[in-house]
Amino acid sequence: MIRNFYTLLAVMLLSTFTAYTQVNIPMVSNGGPAGAGSWILFQSGNQNTSIQENFGINIYGDAGRPVRIRNTNLMVGYGPNNAPIGNNLFVSGKIGLGTLTPEAKLHIDGNIYALGSESRFSYQSFVDPHSGAAYGIKVGGAGIAVRGKSVFLDNVGIGTTNPQAKLTVEGNILAKEIKVKTDISVPDYVFEPDYKMRSLAEIENYVKEHKHLPEVPSAKEIGEEGLDLAAMNLLLLKKVEELTIILIEKEKESNCMNTKLEKLTSEVKKLQDKIH
């Protein structure tokens, strides 16, 4: 042990004055903390840190003596001339970037920049119907695919960078079904006995003056403020119900006129028969 210590000390002093010199550090060969294999042990009081050659190189430390790398880059999976050789980096604990207290497997305090053709975030099992691969969230050149419910607390814009509502779409929307929930009253009150409707003469005068139906927004208003689909559909339903009531009344009047006409026709025929 003493000889190895002096040899290591000599190598360290030699490397101080010799640039780019490869040296071989002798290591103890009687087994280390992780089993058989050459190892180096650093002791500071009761704290031990060891580097052991056992299926690669294992570094053992503790919370009070973490392994620190300063003022240099740490390159994993690279060979000569910085050529990537495809080795993996495995960390069993948590990784903190910009933080010393990571709260997850990967905790980043700062921005993320990812460059690649596709990124995947897996959760449970969701199979891509196109590629057959499983993922939770996939971001790639073909777009973004998400499995499960997605919650957006702020406004979302599609085709616009300035969304003015919970969902703002600057373009067309294609859907098989759209269901709108609203607190606007359904106009079944039109059929109540005390409901008062405008007469056809009143509607005619309004249309002549305003060039649109009563209660219906004008073309200018729709162009400036947009069209509320829920409100407009219920308003059109109200107009259809009012029109239905008018048609029912007109049919009653027509039937009454037909009855009177038939009666008059019968009376005229009787008079003609008496004359002849």
Side-chain angles (χ1 to χ4, degrees):
M1 287 290 293
I2 296 177
R3 183 180 63 181
N4 289 339
F5 172 76
Y6 284 117
T7 303
L8 177 60
L9 180 60
V11 169
M12 294 175 63
L13 291 174
L14 181 61
S15 62
T16 303
F17 300 101
T18 306
Y20 305 107
T21 301
Q22 177 177 335
V23 296
N24 298 321
I25 302 176
M27 303 177 70
V28 179
S29 301
N30 61 350
S38 300
W39 61 292
I40 298 176
L41 178 65
F42 301 91
Q43 291 183 326
S44 177
N46 295 325
Q47 306 294 335
N48 296 330
T49 299
S50 65
I51 302 176
Q52 179 172 352
E53 184 183 8
N54 182 17
F55 301 105
I57 297 179
N58 296 312
I59 301 177
Y60 293 85
D62 53 60
R65 300 293 189 274
V67 178
R68 296 181 180 179
I69 301 175
R70 296 181 178 179
N71 302 325
T72 187
N73 295 323
L74 175 63
M75 304 181 68
V76 178
Y78 284 81
N81 300 321
N82 295 335
I85 56 179
N87 289 354
N88 299 322
L89 174 64
F90 173 77
V91 179
S92 61
K94 299 176 181 179
I95 299 177
L97 301 180
T99 175
L100 295 175
T101 56
E103 299 178 3
K105 287 293 184 181
L106 177 60
H107 184 160
I108 300 176
D109 187 0
N111 299 327
I112 300 175
Y113 175 72
L115 180 62
S117 60
E118 184 176 286
S119 299
R120 297 187 182 188
F121 307 88
S122 298
Y123 175 72
Q124 295 181 350
S125 177
F126 175 50
V127 178
D128 185 347
H130 300 290
S131 65
Y135 57 84
I137 301 176
K138 184 178 74 171
V139 181
I144 301 175
V146 181
R147 175 187 183 272
K149 296 181 179 179
S150 301
V151 179
F152 300 91
L153 300 180
D154 296 319
N155 294 348
V156 177
I158 300 178
T160 175
T161 58
N162 186 29
Q164 300 297 311
K166 288 297 183 183
L167 177 60
T168 302
V169 180
E170 188 69 30
N172 298 326
I173 299 176
L174 176 63
K176 289 185 177 180
E177 181 179 347
I178 297 178
K179 182 180 292 186
V180 179
K181 291 186 177 181
T182 178
D183 56 358
I184 303 175
S185 299
V186 178
D188 290 345
Y189 54 81
V190 170
F191 298 109
E192 296 295 332
D194 58 348
Y195 178 73
K196 295 181 180 180
M197 280 197 315
R198 287 182 171 90
S199 66
L200 291 179
E202 290 175 328
I203 295 175
E204 180 185 14
N205 292 333
Y206 186 94
V207 170
K208 285 181 178 179
E209 180 180 356
H210 300 283
K211 302 298 186 292
H212 62 84
L213 288 174
E215 302 177 273
V216 177
S218 66
K220 181 180 179 181
E221 291 173 328
I222 294 176
E224 293 176 351
E225 301 177 9
L227 180 65
D228 187 326
L229 291 179
M232 179 58 74
N233 276 315
L234 291 177
L235 180 58
L236 293 177
L237 175 61
K238 179 180 178 180
K239 296 305 174 184
V240 170
E241 290 175 343
E242 290 179 342
L243 181 60
T244 301
I245 293 176
I246 292 174
L247 289 175
I248 291 173
E249 294 298 325
K250 292 302 178 184
E251 185 180 35
K252 290 180 180 180
E253 293 176 4
S254 177
N255 290 336
C256 183
M257 292 295 294
N258 288 335
T259 301
K260 292 181 179 180
L261 180 60
E262 289 176 358
K263 185 177 181 180
L264 287 174
T265 302
S266 177
E267 294 293 334
V268 170
K269 189 174 182 306
K270 289 179 182 180
L271 289 174
Q272 289 177 342
D273 291 341
K274 287 181 179 182
I275 294 174
H276 293 291

